[in-house]
Amino acid sequence: MSKPNLRGTLQEPQSVKSDASQGDPPTADGCPPDMEMARVLKTAPIRIASDPSGAAIAHWQHEPLHDVVEPMAHHVVMAYAGSMQRLERRSGRSVAIGTARTGVVTIIPAGSSARWDIPGPVNVVQLYLPHATLERIAGEAVQAAPGHLLERTGHPDPITSRLLMSAADVLDGSEALDTLFRHQLTDLLATRLLAAHTSSPTTFQPAMGGLSPKVLLRAIERLRSNSDADVSLDALASDAGLSRFHFCRAFKESTGLSPHAWLRQYRLEQAMNMLRNTDASIVSVAVEFGYASQTAFAAAFRRLTGEAPSDWRRRVR
């Protein structure tokens, strides 16, 4: 997948009329967002990764758009890269105008519909978020129902934009690592939406303490397991007796790393030991540690060390 160009200048979008909406709570009615986006964008995504919950992250590059986006079953959150483009969203007499650029987000709440006019090509990463995920995060964090998600059109939010754009660059080509990363990112983005883009913003308390030594050891033993099923975020949190939200916060408090970052570093360190101490081929090392291909392993290895596996092996042996 080609990496988005993340350069750009953040500016306030212009709005003919505010596009913040506090309508009825969303329902599950509506088209799956990936199907509706494929229809209106008239192309296929460069890449899409989805979960049984319906949550997904998709990277699109599409041509000008002049069409009505019909109601979708999940919330859609977008972040942009590449050249700037004018965005215009019309719903009844309401018109919202913004600019697609680095550092802004667009939010289409589940169940809403509008006509979109975008005069040029767009490079965009989209999150498809079930409302149930917002409800879960709100319940786990503050035991409260979330407010209504607000409509946004080219709205300045560099934090959400940066988080979502990271999905285009960080996937490792390892099913276990990619799934763990995607689950963490989805929960983190849901947390950010609750704090910044609802009718009743949620206030999250700072993390208070990490995991107990016994629970941390059990989590690390699970992460070191060779079974990809054992390192799912749900399994890790359940084993610790915590929600996903609280487990991730406590694990990072204890280790300084998220579960995904810890597992990625651990597996690559084990791969380095194998490269140094055995004559196994790089393909064999990639397979041993769950990477889909030698290319995916080499890219992940280079991100950690700055070198290709073959170059690193020659240097250290």
Side-chain angles (χ1 to χ4, degrees), residues 58-248:
H59 179 198
W60 301 81
Q61 290 181 347
H62 65 84
E63 295 304 311
L65 168 62
H66 304 281
D67 204 346
V68 174
V69 175
E70 300 293 346
M72 292 178 283
H74 302 320
H75 307 303
V76 178
V77 184
M78 309 183 198
Y80 305 94
S83 59
M84 295 183 293
Q85 288 296 339
R86 185 178 189 270
L87 306 172
E88 181 177 302
R89 169 162 48 184
R90 293 178 176 269
S91 180
R93 295 184 177 180
S94 175
V95 181
I97 296 174
T99 302
R101 67 178 79 229
T102 301
V104 307
V105 298
T106 290
I107 300 174
I108 304 176
S112 69
S113 178
R115 176 180 173 83
W116 285 85
D117 288 288
I118 305 174
V122 173
N123 185 353
V124 60
V125 177
Q126 299 179 344
L127 168 70
Y128 307 143
L129 185 71
H131 189 69
T133 301
L134 285 182
E135 292 179 326
R136 174 176 60 79
I137 295 294
E140 291 175 356
V142 293
Q143 291 78 50
H148 304 307
L149 194 63
L150 303 177
E151 291 187 345
R152 304 292 200 193
T153 305
H155 182 85
D157 183 350
I159 295 174
T160 302
S161 174
R162 185 167 59 251
L163 285 172
L164 188 47
M165 292 307 301
S166 72
D169 291 327
V170 178
L171 296 179
D172 289 291
S174 162
E175 182 176 355
L177 281 169
D178 291 350
T179 300
L180 186 57
F181 170 75
R182 193 167 63 251
H183 287 176
Q184 284 182 196
L185 182 65
T186 299
D187 285 7
L188 189 56
L189 283 164
T191 302
R192 174 63 184 169
L193 293 175
L194 288 167
H197 298 289
T198 64
S199 56
S200 302
T202 302
T203 300
F204 293 91
Q205 298 300 319
M208 299 296 290
L211 299 172
S212 70
K214 182 178 179 180
V215 172
L216 178 60
L217 179 60
R218 193 160 59 239
I220 288 174
E221 287 175 346
R222 184 178 282 278
L223 285 167
R224 286 173 172 165
S225 167
N226 289 327
S227 171
D228 286 353
D230 285 347
V231 299
S232 72
L233 190 54
D234 286 328
L236 288 161
S238 176
D239 205 31
L242 297 171
S243 68
R244 281 170 40 165
F245 175 85
H246 287 295
F247 173 78
C248 285

Side-chain angles (χ1 to χ4, degrees), residues 24-38:
D24 296 331
T27 69
D29 295 336
C31 185
D34 57 331
M35 293 177 59
E36 179 61 7
M37 286 296 160

